[in-house]
Amino acid sequence: MQKAKEERENRVYRKVIILCILVIFFYTILYTYLGITLLSLNNALSFVVLLIIYEDIHSPKYKKAISLLVQLSAIYNITCAIFVFGWGYGFELFLLAFIAISCLFTTKNQYIKFTIIFFQITFYLTLYLMFKDAPKEYGGELFKNIIYIINFSALAFGFLLLHNDLNIIGAINILNLEKEKESYKDIAKYDFLTGLYTRLPMMNIINEILKNLESGKTNSVCIALCDLDNFKNINDTYGHAFGDKVLSTASASLKSSFSKYGTISRWGGEEFLAILENQEIDHAKSIIERARQNIESLKIDNIRITATFGAVYLENPQTNLRLDEIIKNVDELLYVGKNSGKNRLVFKKI
């Protein structure tokens, strides 16, 4: 998608250069006819430069420099024309066009984009205040109206020519923003270290399952909380890098133990929470006990790891189930296990 956006932007820049060449060529002839030497020389130089860089517009190496050169050259020529002719001949419309185009293109740093647009608007207003009442130096009111119509027509033709490409670029920008939003949602959904669900999405999953239990769609629910034993001592003794290794290894073991039967998440710190749905009470208990044994069998750099589990089991339709109360019960069972020597499962049906 990014490649398609770049191709469209390149096409827009290429068309803009062609339009600039045509407009500059026309005004070079007009200025020469009117005997305005400064504007004739400026436009002639810009015409030659645009012809030279036309074929290089697709070069990624020079794209930004060429784009900046084209814009500065156009703004310089437009400003010179306003200085000579004054305000109201339609040259100022080209400045508005540059502001509009700047709004359509995205940059990695949006502050730079808004700064550029701010200065463009400021520059436009400054020229307006300076030349809005300036006397006409060339031609009368008819000449002024003709030049204005020519400039307006050139811009209208340009936007019609670029309309399709600009719409596609805008659509791609919207799609990219939506894609970024989804990416941010995924980042918030999963824990970066373990790859497991974080607390919020896990709470949503549990609440949905509890609703099913209340309505009778689900026969039983078992919620288990796991806490790695002596994890603070492990961090303090072996360092946080080793602590992270313990967390990622333990989480992989827990995922292997629970993923076939339910959902596992990182609840916070060294705590993990799992939910099992539609399991017989003895089977649910054996699943959690096997998970505990799998943790106990781990040896990370010859360091033995253990974990304590607290679990509650609920079955049959129940009403007024509150997640915070259930988690509180699970947490109390976990601490019973901690106070009873750790590395064990404390299981209760409620």
Side-chain angles (χ1 to χ4, degrees), residues 79-106:
T79 304
C80 288
I82 292 174
F83 265 86
V84 172
F85 286 94
W87 196 264
Y89 285 80
F91 295 106
E92 63 277 3
L93 297 177
F94 290 99
L95 296 177
L96 292 175
F98 277 112
I99 295 172
I101 291 174
S102 295
C103 291
L104 290 172
F105 287 91
T106 57

Side-chain angles (χ1 to χ4, degrees), residues 199 202-203 206 222-229 254 258 263-276 284 288-289 291-292 295 306-313 323-338 343-348:
R199 179 179 291 219
M202 187 61 171
M203 289 175 66
I206 297 173
C222 182
I223 298 176
L225 188 61
C226 164
D227 185 90
L228 299 182
D229 296 328
L254 289 168
F258 287 108
T263 307
I264 180 75
S265 69
R266 185 178 180 186
W267 198 244
E270 67 273 21
E271 288 189 334
F272 301 87
L273 188 137
I275 183 166
L276 306 173
I288 302 169
E289 178 60 26
R292 186 197 64 76
I295 294 289
T306 63
T308 303
F309 289 77
V312 296
Y313 185 85
L323 178 57
D324 57 341
E325 291 181 355
I326 295 172
I327 297 299
K328 182 181 178 182
N329 285 327
V330 178
D331 200 43
E332 288 173 353
L333 294 175
L334 173 66
Y335 276 94
V336 169
K338 288 284 188 181
N343 189 25
R344 63 193 62 213
L345 164 63
V346 181
F347 190 95
K348 181 180 179 182

Side-chain angles (χ1 to χ4, degrees), residues 137-176:
E137 298 288 339
Y138 293 90
E141 195 66 27
L142 178 61
F143 177 78
K144 178 181 177 181
N145 291 335
I146 291 173
I147 296 299
Y148 186 92
I149 291 171
I150 291 172
N151 286 329
F152 180 85
S153 300
L155 276 175
F157 174 76
F159 274 107
L160 286 175
L161 186 65
L162 299 175
H163 177 263
N164 188 49
D165 290 316
L166 293 175
N167 278 346
I168 291 175
I169 290 172
I172 292 174
N173 286 338
I174 292 172
L175 290 174
N176 283 336

Side-chain angles (χ1 to χ4, degrees), residues 260-305:
K260 183 179 177 180
Y261 307 101
T263 307
I264 180 75
S265 69
R266 185 178 180 186
W267 198 244
E270 67 273 21
E271 288 189 334
F272 301 87
L273 188 137
I275 183 166
L276 306 173
E277 189 177 5
N278 290 325
Q279 301 294 325
E280 295 292 335
I281 186 168
D282 290 338
H283 190 219
K285 189 173 182 179
S286 68
I287 292 170
I288 302 169
E289 178 60 26
R290 196 178 309 120
R292 186 197 64 76
Q293 292 171 0
N294 289 339
I295 294 289
E296 185 181 16
S297 66
L298 294 175
K299 280 191 177 181
I300 305 171
D301 296 346
N302 292 321
I303 305 300
R304 184 168 173 259
I305 306 299

Side-chain angles (χ1 to χ4, degrees), residues 200-214 223 275 321-324 326:
L200 182 59
M202 187 61 171
M203 289 175 66
N204 293 333
I205 291 170
I206 297 173
N207 279 321
E208 190 63 31
I209 293 175
L210 291 178
K211 287 180 182 178
N212 290 337
L213 183 65
E214 288 184 3
I223 298 176
I275 183 166
L321 292 172
R322 287 182 53 185
L323 178 57
D324 57 341
I326 295 172

Side-chain angles (χ1 to χ4, degrees), residues 227-247:
D227 185 90
L228 299 182
D229 296 328
N230 306 313
F231 185 75
K232 185 178 185 304
N233 291 337
I234 291 173
N235 258 341
D236 293 342
T237 304
Y238 302 102
H240 290 282
F242 183 77
D244 286 348
K245 187 176 181 180
V246 170
L247 286 171

